[in-house]
Amino acid sequence: MNLHHYDSPTYRMACQQFDLVADFMNIPQNDRDRLKLPKRSLSVAVPVRMDDGSTKVFMGYRVQHHLTLGPTKGGIRFHPDVTVGEVAALAMWMSWKCALVGLPYGGAKGGVACDPRLLSKGELERLTRRYTQELIPVLGPQVDIPAPDVGTNEQVMAWIMDTYSLQMGHTVPGVVTGKPVLLGGSLGRREATGRGVAYLVSRAMDTLGITAQGATAVVQGYGNVGSVAALSMAKQGIKIIAVSDAFGGIFNPEGLDLNQLDTYVAANRSVVGFPGAEAITNEQLLVLPCDILVPAALERQITETNAHQVQCRILAEGANGPTTPEADVILAERNIFVIPDILCNSGGVIVSYFEWVQDLQSFFWTEGEVLDKLFRLLEQAFGQTLAQAKKHQISMRFAALSLGIKRVHDAKTLRGLYP
Ligand code: NAD
């Protein structure tokens, strides 16, 4: 079928995963396009007045994958490689993720093709506000609720909330999640994705009979997700032997001191050059011998080219879409336990959901309440996915996707087709 303007390697990959699972589940052909194709997409030109007085136009996108279960939910990415096809794939994965963990949302994603590191704070604010303004017709606490992703953070969410609220004439905290706590953000949201990754890693270790003491982990991408996942795993007693970012990686077989590393990264904006560790490339890092490998950067990092060389026992996908379907086949043959992205990084959207609920009720929870509810939902999703994998002798990814896709399919069947 025609992939339209979404055609891109990442969108094709998301469609390939869907088609494989739809075949396994015997989803009627009649229902497949309706489930797979994004419901809406908006492309916007975002003109920004730069500090030097010039005007630069950036391309921005928002894709809402399905509207069957409630408003749509998903992050906003600021990165030079953002395309509408990548955003559509990420929106589709958000749909299966929200359904897997039982949240009343469809999936969405957004992004602006820009390099936020090259923008001044003023330029970044003007870009964020104008992008938000262009999106106003499709945003809202009952319509579509953005959150942080690669290249965006709490400050960007605060500007989105402020811009939307000014247009509405009153403060609307529930339009966005991942905000600063002072503005209606939830305690524990910033750390939720990485903490969730570490929680599921410990559940996978229990399943495989691996103990934390003496176990080693490698993390690609030392941003929000990767740095918190590393710290949370270290707190369990796992040794973090290598981490990386877009500039390169560092390796110390004795384990990295993460407190010192965080101080170094705050001052240097990169892990590269951290004293007491060897330099290593991102390619080398992915194939280091370790118990746990956490890709927490971008899509399509583990492919048919390097899947044979990956030397971990558990692959915990902090990033969305880090493993291609071709690599999946190789990892399965090699008996590597995969915690698939839509399960592994779902802690982020789970606590985003908690933030939205707290905003709608204007009643805020303690961090203990947030964590307790987070771990309960993760435990349930992990248990259901493992049981589905065992029952049908399928991979954890197939199991997670089939549970998520089935819920969306069932919901569409119950609602029927209008008119
Ligand atoms: P971030 O911007 O905070 O961090 C991204 C990190 O990856 C940075 O350290 C960056 O330098 C590094 N990076 C970029 N390109 C790289 C490359 N080619 N090789 C190695 N490192 C590279 O972003 P984040 O929010 O931590 O998101 C990371 C991943 O997690 C993304 O796939 C995102 O979609 C996913 N995710 C994020 C959340 C969340 O709550 N933030 C939730 C679920 C999933």
Side-chain angles (χ1 to χ4, degrees):
M1 79 147 277
N2 185 355
L3 291 167
H4 310 283
H5 61 300
Y6 299 125
D7 192 22
S8 67
T10 309
Y11 185 68
R12 260 175 269 149
M13 176 178 146
C15 289
Q16 202 180 338
Q17 287 178 344
F18 173 86
D19 293 340
L20 288 168
V21 174
D23 284 344
F24 162 73
M25 294 166 67
N26 287 320
I27 294 180
Q29 288 295 341
N30 230 1
D31 296 346
R32 293 193 186 186
D33 281 354
R34 193 177 161 213
L35 268 170
K36 184 164 71 173
L37 285 175
K39 170 58 71 183
R40 297 175 180 155
S41 70
L42 182 63
S43 298
V44 292
V46 183
V48 178
R49 193 171 299 110
M50 307 301 281
D51 289 347
D52 66 4
S54 66
T55 301
K56 215 171 152 181
V57 181
F58 298 87
M59 281 309 293
Y61 310 97
R62 186 78 183 164
V63 176
Q64 299 171 351
H65 180 250
H66 80 82
L67 314 178
T68 308
L69 285 165
T72 48
K73 187 91 193 76
I76 289 183
R77 178 173 292 193
F78 287 174
H79 190 278
D81 298 338
V82 163
T83 63
V84 70
E86 178 188 55
V87 172
L90 291 162
M92 201 190 301
W93 287 324
M94 281 304 294
S95 288
W96 316 144
K97 186 187 305 180
C98 291
L100 171 68
V101 295
L103 307 183
Y105 293 136
K109 208 77 179 191
V112 178
C114 68
D115 189 341
R117 291 170 311 196
L118 303 181
L119 300 174
S120 70
K121 190 170 180 195
E123 289 167 341
L124 189 66
E125 177 174 354
R126 292 193 289 279
L127 179 141
T128 303
R129 287 185 182 280
R130 185 61 192 252
Y131 170 66
T132 307
Q133 174 66 47
E134 301 293 347
L135 252 47
I136 284 205
V138 298
L139 293 186
Q142 301 302 339
V143 184
D144 182 13
I145 308 131
D149 191 77
V150 175
T152 57
N153 56 22
E154 290 184 354
Q155 177 61 74
V156 172
M157 298 306 118
W159 290 326
I160 293 175
M161 188 276 250
D162 185 66
T163 307
Y164 184 85
S165 297
L166 285 172
Q167 297 303 316
M168 297 303 122
H170 56 96
T171 298
V172 188
V175 70
V176 76
T177 59
K179 298 176 296 292
V181 172
L182 185 60
L183 300 180
S186 177
L187 292 169
R189 171 59 187 93
R190 195 177 54 77
E191 304 86 357
T193 313
R195 272 185 183 155
V197 170
Y199 180 84
L200 293 165
V201 163
S202 83
R203 296 298 290 111
M205 291 199 303
D206 294 344
T207 307
L208 300 180
I210 302 172
T211 48
Q213 303 304 324
T216 54
V218 166
V219 180
Q220 183 200 37
Y222 201 69
N224 174 310
V225 177
S227 64
V228 177
L231 193 63
S232 307
M233 288 190 292
K235 282 186 183 155
Q236 292 169 18
I238 298 168
K239 196 159 48 167
I240 313 301
I241 58 169
V243 302
S244 68
D245 57 28
F247 306 102
I250 54 169
F251 169 55
N252 183 342
E254 301 310 317
L256 298 161
D257 181 327
L258 296 181
N259 288 328
Q260 283 180 16
L261 179 60
D262 286 345
T263 310
Y264 181 86
V265 170
N268 298 279
R269 298 180 73 192
S270 173
V271 300
V272 172
F274 178 63
E278 289 171 39
I280 185 173
T281 66
N282 263 295
E283 292 72 32
Q284 292 168 324
L285 172 130
L286 290 174
V287 299
L288 281 174
C290 61
D291 294 295
I292 303 132
L293 175 62
V294 183
L298 299 174
E299 302 88 53
R300 304 172 57 76
Q301 297 299 302
I302 299 165
T303 64
E304 57 195 328
T305 316
N306 60 2
H308 282 293
Q309 283 104 49
V310 166
Q311 298 191 60
C312 61
R313 296 165 75 187
I314 297 169
L315 178 67
E317 296 183 334
N320 287 305
T323 310
T324 64
E326 295 76 20
D328 266 336
V329 176
I330 300 166
L331 298 178
E333 280 165 12
R334 300 188 51 220
N335 236 351
I336 292 174
F337 188 95
V338 177
I339 312 173
D341 50 4
I342 64 166
L343 171 64
C344 193
N345 65 39
S346 64
V349 73
I350 290 173
V351 179
S352 272
Y353 165 62
F354 297 161
E355 179 171 330
W356 178 74
V357 168
Q358 292 172 75
D359 287 339
L360 295 183
Q361 302 185 339
S362 300
F363 182 68
F364 292 89
W365 310 346
T366 64
E367 188 165 4
E369 285 174 284
V370 170
L371 285 176
D372 180 53
K373 288 183 171 65
L374 166 66
F375 294 145
R376 265 195 239 190
L377 282 191
L378 288 175
E379 184 61 42
Q380 184 178 311
F382 182 81
Q384 289 176 349
T385 305
L386 193 61
Q388 172 88 341
K390 284 188 174 155
K391 181 173 165 199
H392 297 286
Q393 295 291 305
I394 51 177
S395 68
M396 287 289 280
R397 184 181 322 283
F398 240 68
L401 284 169
S402 61
L403 290 171
I405 292 171
K406 181 176 184 330
R407 284 178 194 153
V408 180
H409 185 218
D410 288 351
K412 282 196 186 285
T413 306
L414 283 169
R415 283 188 64 160
L417 178 57
Y418 175 86

